[in-house]
């Protein structure tokens, strides 16, 4: 109790001190205009009249903001004690100062110039961008660098435009906003804030802050041609992935139906507030840790609590790994036996058998791709081990080598960046990237399949033990060594694990464990297996898996039948698909997912009115489904309803302004309408957004010179394992 009283007294002393000392500037008054004019005199407008390009950020006035308007987050911490403590250890609070980012941003300064860092700082250090500090020979004082993405920066954003790389509008910072809209900052004391909480809430909060578009303003990235002297390259787009996932409730296409989630509901769950934060309710507040995937920052700063929070988040059922199937080829036999699910099958294993273990890795509870964002300089991979009864490893894939580097043949989820000269861009110099030789990930609600082939040793008795783990490390060893100038073992987090014992001789069906709630029902396992096969373009096998799923669960059966029909469509077996879909729609005429797939059949058969009717029904239920909008736009083009087509493609761009297909179609429609200037504008945008045809040969050349990486670039592949020899 004494410790609690002492802590409370300390907080009260801090508040009292703050009432006396905090004085900051007010609004865009004449002195502020003079500030902007003064900065403009020596500012390098290298990228045109927009001073904040090549980022997509701007201010409500389009001009610079004095640095002292960016209130230090320490002031916020006087009252918001818990939120500030959490933020201080977060990736946001260290977005500029942490060494991994510092190394990268200094590289771009050295190789390109300080003004190019405006692309980065819109999301890593907004105050540096908006004060005009990012220009040669700047005299702007930078006390805000330590704050990175500060409290006042985030809470002053007024709009978001879905473009990413700072796709937001920064408002005039204020601590109080009166009912008439008057914004107050200079001279506002903490006591005034406490006396007028509604005005403080108006200054700090708005509905935008709880919308995915707000987070997407930075958690969506591209490399513009201003940065790479080449063309637009997409880096990542997790906000768009969420919008198309089952968690958004805005798309009928996912394989599973989930409750609605947003960025906030997943990444800002309530947690205990032991420091008496004034915004706490019932002893808790929404977390400002954003403890999701960055293990490097808390490791570097030795923040054990934050690292534990990140580890808990990563290992909390986000992914699943299922040891689902086994293919057995006996020695001296030409036939292969398929065994699935392994634990619910009776089979025999003999020494000398060639086995192929099939692991299904599922993105279960993440609203976007896994891994998200920058897959080139952190790594996720599958570690697979075959061992004997004594625990001795017989086969091993996906291991960390003695030098700290990942086994090159590991089944991994990485992006390989390639430079213009065909060499590997492994230092995250994104401005030097020309193409991607590989860009592996698992989208939300989908699955992947990892296959491991090995031979049962002829002298083995007893059993062999199979273990699969999905591992995550931030960063790659080459990047952490490059950043820190020394070799350091950064954490590897196990996100999912599966184990199975194969006995030499007879293997019996394993009885279900009713006490284990983590065990998936077989229908879901078959469905996940089918999804993985479908995404690896093994459509015939996927159809078989979906058929098994449909037979095993009556509730999921309609979804599984649509999945099966999708496989037939990919194989151009339209009659088979039509029969399935007609049956599903007859039972449930409003099933949007089936209606959409049925519309694909109608379009193939030239039944355009029926197709349009289906698509419009889908859009009535899911008005922001960009795939249905695309289809309706195509139908409108065929019918020469160009105004309808314009509306569809414009709606897509309202969701994703960089949808290349929408820009291409707008170009065609404008040409039909004789709107030459609009057509030329869209043609120019499309030319920048579309893939460079020459990039494919560069990627293929890279893979030919890196055979250790090329296996992972193929949709369907097997990891052929070699027996570990005893020393």
């Amino acid at each position: 109790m004494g410790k609690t009283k002492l802590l409370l007294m300390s907080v009260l002393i801090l508040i009292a001190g703050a009432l006396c000392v905090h004085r900051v500037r007010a609004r865009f008054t004449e002195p502020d205009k003079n500030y902007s004019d003064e900065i403009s005199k020596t500012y390098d407008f290298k990228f045109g009249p927009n001073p904040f390009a090549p980022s997509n950020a701007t201010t409500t006035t389009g001009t610079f903001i004095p640095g002292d308007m960016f209130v230090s987050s320490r002031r916020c911490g006087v009252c918001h004690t818990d939120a500030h403590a959490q933020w201080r250890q977060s990736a946001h609070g260290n977005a500029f100062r942490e060494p991994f980012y510092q190394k990268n941003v200094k590289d771009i300064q050295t190789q390109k110039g300080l003004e190019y860092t405006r692309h980065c700082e819109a999301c890593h250090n907004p105050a540096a961008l908006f004060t005009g500090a990012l220009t040669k020979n700047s005299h702007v004082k930078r006390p805000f660098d330590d704050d990175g993405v500060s409290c006042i920066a985030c809470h002053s954003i007024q709009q978001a435009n879905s473009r990413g790389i700072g796709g937001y509008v920064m408002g005039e910072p204020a601590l109080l906003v009166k009912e008439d809209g008057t914004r107050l900052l200079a001279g506002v004391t903490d006591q005034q804030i406490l006396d007028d909480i509604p005005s403080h809430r108006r200054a700090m909060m708005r509905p935008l802050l709880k919308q995915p578009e707000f987070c997407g303003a930075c958690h969506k990235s591209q490399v513009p041609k201003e940065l790479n002297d080449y063309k637009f390259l997409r880096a990542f787009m997790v906000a768009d992935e969420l919008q198309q996932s089952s968690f958004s409730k805005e798309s009928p296409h996912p394989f599973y139906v989930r409750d609605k989630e947003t960025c906030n509901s997943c990444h800002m769950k309530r947690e205990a507030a032991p420091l008496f934060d004034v915004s706490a309710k019932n002893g808790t507040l929404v977390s400002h840790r954003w403890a999701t995937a960055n293990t490097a920052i808390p490791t570097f700063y030795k923040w054990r609590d934050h690292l534990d929070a990140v580890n808990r988040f990563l290992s909390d059922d986000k992914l699943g790994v299922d040891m689902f199937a086994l293919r057995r080829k006996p020695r001296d036999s030409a036939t292969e036996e398929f065994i699935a699910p392994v634990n619910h099958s009776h089979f025999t294993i003999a020494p000398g058998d060639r086995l192929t273990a099939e692991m299904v890795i599922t993105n279960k509870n993440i609203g976007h791709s896994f891994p998200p964002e920058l897959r080139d300089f952190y790594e996720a991979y599958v570690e697979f081990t075959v061992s004997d009864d004594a625990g001795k490893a017989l086969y091993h894939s996906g291991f960390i080598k003695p030098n700290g580097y990942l086994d090159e043949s590991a089944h991994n989820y990485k992006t390989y960046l390639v430079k213009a000269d065909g060499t590997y861009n492994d230092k995250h110099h994104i401005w030097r990237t020309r193409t991607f030789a590989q860009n592996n990930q698992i989208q939300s609600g989908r699955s992947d399949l990892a296959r491991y082939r090995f031979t049962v040793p002829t002298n083995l008795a007893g059993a062999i033990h199979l273990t699969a783990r999905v591992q995550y490390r931030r960063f790659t060893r080459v990047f952490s060594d490059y950043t820190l100038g020394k070799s350091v073992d950064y954490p590897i987090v196990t996100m999912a694990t599966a184990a199975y014992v194969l006995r030499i001789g007879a293997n019996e069906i394993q009885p279900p464990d009713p006490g284990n709630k983590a065990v998936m029902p077989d229908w879901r396992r078959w469905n996940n297996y089918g999804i993985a096969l479908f995404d690896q373009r093994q459509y015939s096998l996927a159809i078989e898996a979906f058929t098994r799923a449909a037979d095993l669960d009556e509730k999921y059966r309609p979804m599984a039948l649509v999945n099966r029909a999708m496989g037939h469509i990919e194989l151009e077996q339209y009659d088979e698909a039509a029969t399935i879909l007609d049956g599903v729609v007859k039972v449930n005429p409003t099933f949007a997912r089936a209606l959409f797939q049925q519309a694909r059949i109608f379009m193939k058969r030239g039944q355009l009115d029926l197709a349009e009717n289906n698509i419009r029904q889908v859009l009535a239920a899911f008005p922001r489904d960009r795939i249905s909008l695309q289809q309706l736009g195509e139908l409108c083009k065929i019918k020469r309803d160009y105004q309808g087509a314009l509306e569809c493609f414009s709606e897509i761009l309202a969701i994703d302004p960089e949808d290349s297909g929408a820009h291409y179609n707008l170009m065609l429609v404008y040409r039909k309408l004789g709107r030459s200037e609009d057509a030329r504008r869209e043609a120019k945008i499309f030319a920048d957004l579309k893939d460079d045809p020459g990039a494919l040969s560069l990627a293929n050349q890279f893979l030919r010179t890196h055979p250790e990486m090329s296996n992972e670039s193929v949709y369907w592949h097997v990891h052929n394992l070699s027996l570990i020899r005893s020393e």
Side-chain angles (χ1 to χ4, degrees):
M1 186 66 179
K3 183 178 179 181
T4 301
K5 285 185 175 179
L6 180 61
L7 180 59
L8 181 58
M9 288 178 62
S10 300
V11 171
L12 292 173
I13 291 170
L14 284 170
I15 293 174
L19 297 178
C20 303
V21 302
H22 287 296
R23 296 292 185 271
V24 288
R25 298 182 64 88
R27 46 191 299 140
F28 287 135
T29 58
E30 190 62 33
D32 299 332
K33 182 180 183 303
N34 292 341
Y35 173 86
S36 186
D37 291 343
E38 193 63 29
I39 291 293
S40 297
K41 290 179 182 178
T42 58
Y43 193 78
D44 185 351
F45 288 86
K46 185 177 186 66
F47 306 103
N50 176 9
F52 311 119
S55 80
N56 289 313
T58 189
T59 63
T60 50
T61 63
T63 57
F64 301 105
I65 301 175
D68 53 5
M69 294 188 79
F70 287 95
V71 179
S72 169
S73 295
R74 286 193 302 274
R75 179 175 185 183
C76 305
V78 171
C79 293
H80 296 285
T81 46
D82 290 280
H84 178 269
Q86 294 163 1
W87 163 88
R88 180 68 282 175
Q89 295 186 6
S90 73
H92 288 176
N94 299 277
F96 180 76
R97 70 178 189 172
E98 54 95 349
F100 304 97
Y101 176 72
Q102 275 292 304
K103 178 63 176 176
N104 198 236
V105 80
K106 286 178 179 176
D107 283 346
I108 193 172
Q109 283 182 235
T110 301
Q111 297 179 27
K112 300 283 289 185
L114 176 61
E115 62 276 12
Y116 288 89
T117 67
R118 298 169 199 166
H119 168 270
C120 317
E121 307 301 17
C123 293
H124 283 265
N125 192 351
L129 176 70
F130 295 124
T131 56
L134 303 179
T135 193
K136 295 181 183 69
N137 303 316
S138 170
H139 298 293
V140 175
K141 295 180 180 179
R142 300 177 59 163
F144 41 72
D145 282 353
D146 197 54
D147 276 6
V149 182
S150 65
C151 309
I152 197 69
C154 245
H155 285 271
S156 295
I157 291 174
Q158 305 296 312
Q159 300 173 37
N161 63 23
S162 301
R163 290 187 178 277
I165 299 297
Y168 62 82
V169 178
M170 178 67 70
E172 161 194 336
L175 291 173
L176 297 173
V177 174
K178 297 296 184 179
E179 286 188 87
D180 64 359
T182 302
R183 304 178 70 83
L184 301 175
L185 187 65
V188 173
T189 66
D190 290 353
Q191 188 61 55
Q192 287 175 297
I193 294 173
L194 294 171
D195 290 342
D196 192 359
I197 297 299
S199 291
H200 186 53
R201 186 174 291 114
R202 278 190 292 271
M204 294 294 112
M205 293 301 298
R206 57 200 59 83
L208 172 67
L209 272 65
K210 297 182 180 181
Q211 296 170 1
E213 290 78 8
F214 176 74
C215 301
C218 280
H219 292 277
K220 179 177 181 177
S221 177
Q222 61 274 352
V223 183
K225 58 185 175 183
E226 292 88 350
L227 190 66
N228 61 15
D229 300 315
Y230 172 46
K231 68 180 300 298
F232 174 100
L233 291 176
R234 169 65 65 207
F236 58 83
M237 48 192 301
V238 293
D240 294 77
E241 292 167 355
L242 171 64
Q243 193 269 332
Q244 295 178 88
S245 77
S246 58
F247 293 99
S248 74
K249 313 297 285 186
E250 293 185 356
S251 171
H253 306 296
F255 287 90
Y256 294 105
V257 176
R258 304 295 301 272
D259 293 335
K260 184 177 177 63
E261 295 276 7
T262 65
C263 308
N264 300 54
S265 65
C266 187
H267 296 300
M268 298 185 73
K269 295 184 184 297
R270 300 193 74 85
E271 63 176 86
L275 301 179
F276 308 102
D277 194 297
V278 296
S279 62
K281 296 178 182 178
N282 299 319
T284 67
L285 82 163
V286 292
S287 175
H288 282 62
R289 285 189 184 278
W290 303 282
T292 53
N294 195 319
T295 55
I297 289 175
T299 299
F300 179 81
Y301 289 110
K302 296 180 173 60
W303 289 327
R304 187 72 242 177
D305 288 347
H306 193 85
L307 180 60
D308 288 345
V310 176
N311 288 339
R312 284 195 302 272
F313 181 87
L314 288 171
S315 58
D316 184 24
D317 202 31
K318 298 297 184 295
L319 301 178
V321 57
D322 182 14
M323 203 161 290
F324 180 72
L326 193 68
R327 296 181 186 272
R328 171 179 173 259
K329 183 178 180 297
R331 183 168 51 177
D332 302 325
S333 173
T335 60
E336 188 174 64
E337 177 187 10
F338 177 64
I339 304 162
V342 175
N343 60 330
H344 293 166
S345 302
H346 174 83
F347 57 94
T348 301
I349 297 294
D353 284 354
R354 191 189 73 182
L355 303 179
T356 303
E358 299 190 345
M359 309 292 150
V360 180
I361 301 96
T362 301
N363 184 343
K364 296 171 61 178
N365 292 310
I366 305 175
H368 46 70
S369 62
F370 170 80
E373 304 198 349
L374 302 166
R375 289 179 281 271
D376 64 300
F377 69 160
Y378 53 80
E379 56 199 3
Y381 58 95
V382 180
E383 181 181 13
F384 180 76
T385 308
V386 180
S387 57
D388 62 16
D389 280 334
K392 177 186 175 183
L394 306 173
Y395 299 94
H396 199 185
S397 172
F399 54 89
I400 300 300
K401 299 187 294 185
N403 63 1
Y405 285 63
L406 175 65
D407 160 30
E408 292 88 347
S409 65
H411 191 87
N412 65 58
Y413 303 101
K414 281 177 59 64
T415 299
Y416 294 137
L417 306 182
V418 182
K419 293 183 283 190
D421 61 1
T423 59
Y424 188 16
N425 184 0
D426 58 359
K427 306 293 195 305
H428 194 61
H429 291 165
I430 56 172
W431 56 95
R432 302 179 67 186
T433 298
R434 283 298 176 272
T435 190
F436 310 104
Q438 172 187 304
N439 191 9
N440 289 351
Q441 74 279 325
I442 311 175
Q443 288 298 331
S444 178
R446 300 181 88 107
S447 299
D448 181 43
L449 194 56
R451 301 171 182 83
Y452 298 93
R453 182 175 293 155
F454 58 94
T455 300
V456 179
T458 54
N459 60 349
L460 190 69
I464 53 177
H465 301 253
L466 311 184
T467 305
R469 298 183 181 90
V470 183
Q471 308 280 49
Y472 171 85
R473 175 167 67 168
R474 189 165 185 148
F475 291 89
T476 62
R477 188 56 176 264
V478 66
F479 187 76
S480 62
D481 286 358
Y482 176 67
T483 297
L484 302 174
K486 57 183 177 181
S487 293
V488 181
D489 291 322
Y490 267 61
I492 296 172
V493 182
T494 299
M495 295 185 64
T497 303
Y500 196 78
V501 178
L502 293 175
R503 303 197 177 280
I504 305 301
N507 287 261
E508 303 299 332
I509 295 174
Q510 301 295 310
D513 181 2
N516 188 349
K517 295 181 180 179
V519 174
M520 284 188 294
D522 279 354
W523 73 264
R524 186 183 293 271
R525 298 173 71 194
W526 277 106
N527 199 57
N528 288 341
Y529 185 59
I531 294 169
L533 290 166
F534 186 90
D535 283 349
Q536 292 188 354
R537 304 184 181 184
Q538 303 298 299
Y539 301 119
S540 295
L541 294 175
I543 289 169
E544 294 177 14
F546 292 139
T547 301
R548 295 292 297 270
D551 292 341
L552 288 169
D553 188 77
E554 190 63 30
K555 184 177 180 181
Y556 189 77
R557 180 177 172 80
M559 290 280 280
L561 289 174
V562 175
N563 299 346
R564 178 181 166 187
M566 290 165 57
H568 285 297
I569 291 172
E570 294 300 327
L571 293 172
E572 299 184 357
Q573 298 169 350
Y574 301 119
D575 290 343
E576 292 89 335
T579 300
I580 295 169
L581 293 168
D582 290 347
V584 173
V585 172
K586 184 177 181 180
V587 174
N588 185 354
T590 62
F591 187 11
R593 193 164 184 263
L595 288 169
F596 179 87
Q597 299 301 329
Q598 191 181 48
R600 295 176 66 191
I601 303 292
F602 290 149
M603 291 182 71
K604 289 292 182 181
R605 291 174 171 175
Q607 298 170 300
L608 302 186
D609 289 340
L610 291 176
E612 181 177 348
N613 180 62
N614 276 27
I615 296 297
R616 290 193 182 277
Q617 287 187 68
V618 175
L619 286 170
F622 298 93
R624 281 170 54 84
D625 175 32
R626 61 181 75 181
I627 299 175
S628 294
L629 286 167
Q630 174 75 23
Q631 290 290 347
L632 183 57
E634 295 287 353
L635 283 166
C636 288
K637 276 169 50 186
I638 294 171
K639 293 171 54 181
R640 300 185 181 181
D641 176 10
Y642 298 125
Q643 185 57 43
L646 285 179
E647 291 173 3
C648 289
F649 299 128
S650 297
E651 286 185 47
I652 294 173
L653 293 182
I655 302 168
D656 178 12
E658 292 150 347
D659 187 292
S660 59
H663 283 291
Y664 174 76
N665 279 292
L666 283 175
M667 173 190 73
L668 298 180
V669 172
Y670 283 135
R671 285 176 180 171
K672 292 290 185 182
L673 292 172
R675 294 169 57 174
S676 302
E677 191 61 37
D678 290 329
R680 279 193 290 271
R681 181 192 69 242
E682 295 299 327
K684 183 178 180 181
I685 296 172
F686 173 69
D688 187 39
L689 294 178
K690 71 173 183 177
D691 291 338
D692 177 4
L696 180 60
S697 62
L698 185 64
N700 289 337
Q701 173 191 338
F702 174 83
L703 293 172
R704 281 195 298 270
T705 56
H706 292 82
E708 74 281 5
M709 301 178 185
S710 61
N711 202 38
E712 290 300 293
S713 67
V714 180
Y715 287 110
W716 191 100
H717 62 272
V718 177
H719 297 267
N720 289 301
L721 307 184
S722 298
L723 188 67
I724 299 173
R725 300 297 179 185
S726 301
E727 294 296 334

